[in-house]
Amino acid sequence: MRIGIGGEQVEVPDDLGAALLAGLSGERLVEPPQACDFGSLVDLVARTSRLIQHLAVFREVAMSRADAVGAYSNRSALAAAAAMSASQLGRVLEGHGLPRDRRSGGVNLVSAFRTADDGILHLAAEPDVAGLPSFTLPFTPAERATEPTEYAGRELTFYYRPQVPIAVADLGRSAGYTLRHAGQGLIACVTEPVFDALFGDPRLDPTRPNGR
């Protein structure tokens, strides 16, 4: 079965295509697969697992972007849409750098970075980052970028403003992606200019080597 969306087509097993159609149509009845030989069923399981993994990441990013829309996002409605309890939703959003309690928290917001090998500061002037806290990470974009980035494999020092209220952070398309420094126990969101400079045309990366 070939499925086409937006001019692109992909070949999928008939069973998976039928399951996708049923899921998108909101059907609750799950029909068993028609394939009966071991190899075909194992391939179907593998394809379905990859799809579930991708959709799970996609859902988390959509949830985090919905929550970052503004200071008055309705988390009750978001939890209901995600079929999650309030505590589950809080843990997911916290994993994406968003505060569990909107009334008391903000986000660590990366607004500039420096390439460690040449010392060049990007997206800001030196006075703009004077006194700002920072952390250094090797940049490993994996499959997130659509083409090789000039920063791949390089050590980058990121400068951030701590606990910026979501209402003024304006995360936009960068919501859902975070940088993590395990040594400092730090999770930081990034501004759209930083996100675009690092990745160009943004895509989801289910492997998330150094961020979510």
Side-chain angles (χ1 to χ4, degrees):
M1 179 185 296
R2 294 191 68 81
I3 296 178
I5 298 177
E8 291 192 22
Q9 292 193 340
V10 60
E11 189 75 35
V12 299
D14 290 348
D15 285 323
L16 182 56
L20 281 172
L21 180 60
L24 292 172
S25 301
E27 295 184 15
R28 293 186 176 274
L29 179 64
V30 178
E31 294 288 346
Q34 298 301 307
C36 55
D37 65 282
F38 181 78
S40 296
L41 288 167
V42 168
D43 179 66
L44 180 60
V45 170
R47 286 172 178 259
T48 304
S49 296
R50 289 194 295 269
L51 177 62
I52 290 172
Q53 181 187 46
H54 184 85
L55 289 178
V57 176
F58 182 80
R59 183 178 71 158
E60 285 192 12
V61 173
M63 291 163 60
S64 62
R65 290 190 178 180
D67 191 68
V69 165
Y72 304 104
S73 67
N74 187 337
R75 283 192 171 179
S76 295
L78 185 56
M84 290 182 175
S85 66
S87 59
Q88 287 177 307
L89 175 65
R91 286 193 295 271
V92 170
L93 295 177
E94 193 173 44
H96 286 275
L98 300 170
R100 186 175 292 224
D101 185 352
R102 274 184 165 275
R103 295 166 298 181
S104 61
V107 298
N108 298 316
L109 188 63
V110 172
S111 56
F113 62 92
R114 187 188 304 275
T115 41
D117 52 5
D118 57 19
I120 296 177
L121 180 64
H122 302 266
L123 304 177
E126 292 293 346
D128 297 329
V129 300
L132 287 183
S134 65
F135 59 93
T136 301
L137 284 175
F139 181 53
T140 53
E143 297 177 358
R144 185 182 287 270
T146 55
E147 58 185 26
T149 169
E150 62 179 300
Y151 305 115
R154 300 170 71 179
E155 292 273 329
L156 304 181
T157 298
F158 298 95
Y159 296 89
Y160 67 96
R161 290 181 288 143
Q163 295 303 294
V164 177
I166 294 179
V168 298
D170 192 24
L171 295 177
R173 289 179 295 101
S174 65
Y177 176 76
T178 57
L179 294 165
R180 294 158 180 269
H181 192 290
Q184 296 183 19
L186 179 73
I187 301 176
C189 298
V190 302
T191 62
E192 284 192 355
V194 170
F195 188 85
D196 292 344
L198 294 178
F199 300 112
D201 184 17
R203 297 198 305 176
L204 297 177
D205 175 16
T207 62
R208 295 180 287 188
N210 66 336
R212 299 183 70 130

